[in-house]
């Protein structure tokens, strides 16, 4: 519905807003990578709404699925495989390197061979091994709003083939 979701590039930043609760908004970049290995990075900050949220980067995205690296505003992290409409948790944990309460975070992930590695604010926080998606595919970001009125600003997004 109009006004429930908004995604726009403004002033060199990408802004995503979600008004309903318990919703995830995805932004896949039209960057089909032929090389299966990729490093993705963004700098994200909650600029409106509740502190309870998840911010993610994705790699190897296709119509079949993708890998998703999520950090929560509560200091937790997850590595997921999304396939056939379902999420499978590959790894999880907690860390003190996640800036909470709306401060900006540098979120990055590498998908190299079957190794999936998650980084936040320059620190490696977790990894997993999975062979499901071996191809290149698309990269992207997502936000999950547990409560209404979440707005997140992405200062930049980059994808590098190592």
């Amino acid at each position: 519905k109009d006004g429930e979701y908004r995604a726009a590039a403004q002033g060199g930043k990408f802004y995503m807003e979600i008004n309903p609760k318990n919703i995830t908004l995805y932004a896949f970049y039209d960057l089909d990578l032929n090389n299966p290995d990729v490093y993705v990075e963004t700098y994200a900050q909650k600029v409106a709404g509740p502190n309870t949220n998840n911010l993610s980067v994705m790699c190897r995205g296709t119509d079949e699925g993708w890998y998703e690296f999520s950090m929560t505003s509560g200091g937790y992290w997850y590595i997921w495989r999304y396939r056939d409409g379902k999420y499978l948790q590959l790894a999880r944990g907690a860390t003190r390197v996640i800036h909470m309460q709306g401060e900006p975070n540098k979120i990055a992930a590498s998908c190299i061979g079957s190794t999936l590695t998650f980084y936040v604010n320059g620190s490696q926080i977790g990894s997993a091994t999975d062979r499901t998606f071996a191809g290149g595919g698309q990269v992207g970001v997502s936000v999950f709003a547990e409560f209404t009125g979440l707005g997140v600003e992405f200062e930049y997004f980059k994808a590098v083939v190592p």
Side-chain angles (χ1 to χ4, degrees), residues 85-135:
K86 297 177 187 162
Y87 279 98
L88 175 66
Q89 183 178 284
L90 301 175
R92 71 176 182 172
T95 180
R96 292 178 184 218
V97 303
I98 295 173
H99 299 155
M100 298 182 272
Q101 307 304 317
E103 294 99 351
N105 283 281
K106 179 177 163 184
I107 308 164
S110 65
C111 298
I112 310 294
S114 60
T115 303
L116 311 169
T117 309
F118 196 8
Y119 307 88
V120 173
N121 296 318
S123 296
Q124 179 179 328
I125 59 169
S127 66
T129 302
D130 190 82
R131 300 186 194 301
T132 304
F133 301 123

Side-chain angles (χ1 to χ4, degrees), residues 18-157:
I18 305 173
N19 286 314
K21 62 181 178 176
N22 292 319
I23 296 290
T24 302
L25 185 59
Y26 298 94
F28 280 98
Y29 292 87
D30 209 5
L31 174 68
D32 278 318
L33 300 171
N34 293 323
N35 187 323
D37 295 339
V38 66
Y39 171 84
V40 294
E41 179 181 288
T42 190
Y43 192 72
Q45 180 175 11
K46 180 210 62 123
V47 294
N51 284 329
T52 307
N53 55 69
N54 293 11
L55 306 178
S56 305
V57 294
M58 286 102 52
C59 69
R60 295 190 180 160
T62 65
D63 290 341
E64 186 182 337
W66 58 81
Y67 293 116
E68 189 164 339
F69 302 79
S70 300
M71 53 150 270
T72 74
S73 55
Y76 296 95
W77 61 268
Y78 301 88
I79 300 175
W80 304 95
R81 179 180 70 215
Y82 180 80
R83 184 176 186 184
D84 300 325
K86 297 177 187 162
Y87 279 98
L88 175 66
Q89 183 178 284
L90 301 175
R92 71 176 182 172
T95 180
R96 292 178 184 218
V97 303
I98 295 173
H99 299 155
M100 298 182 272
Q101 307 304 317
E103 294 99 351
N105 283 281
K106 179 177 163 184
I107 308 164
S110 65
C111 298
I112 310 294
S114 60
T115 303
L116 311 169
T117 309
F118 196 8
Y119 307 88
V120 173
N121 296 318
S123 296
Q124 179 179 328
I125 59 169
S127 66
T129 302
D130 190 82
R131 300 186 194 301
T132 304
F133 301 123
Q138 296 182 331
V139 293
V141 296
S142 74
V143 297
F144 169 77
E146 186 176 351
F147 301 105
T148 61
L150 176 63
V152 175
E153 208 170 64
F154 295 91
E155 188 172 315
Y156 68 84
F157 181 81

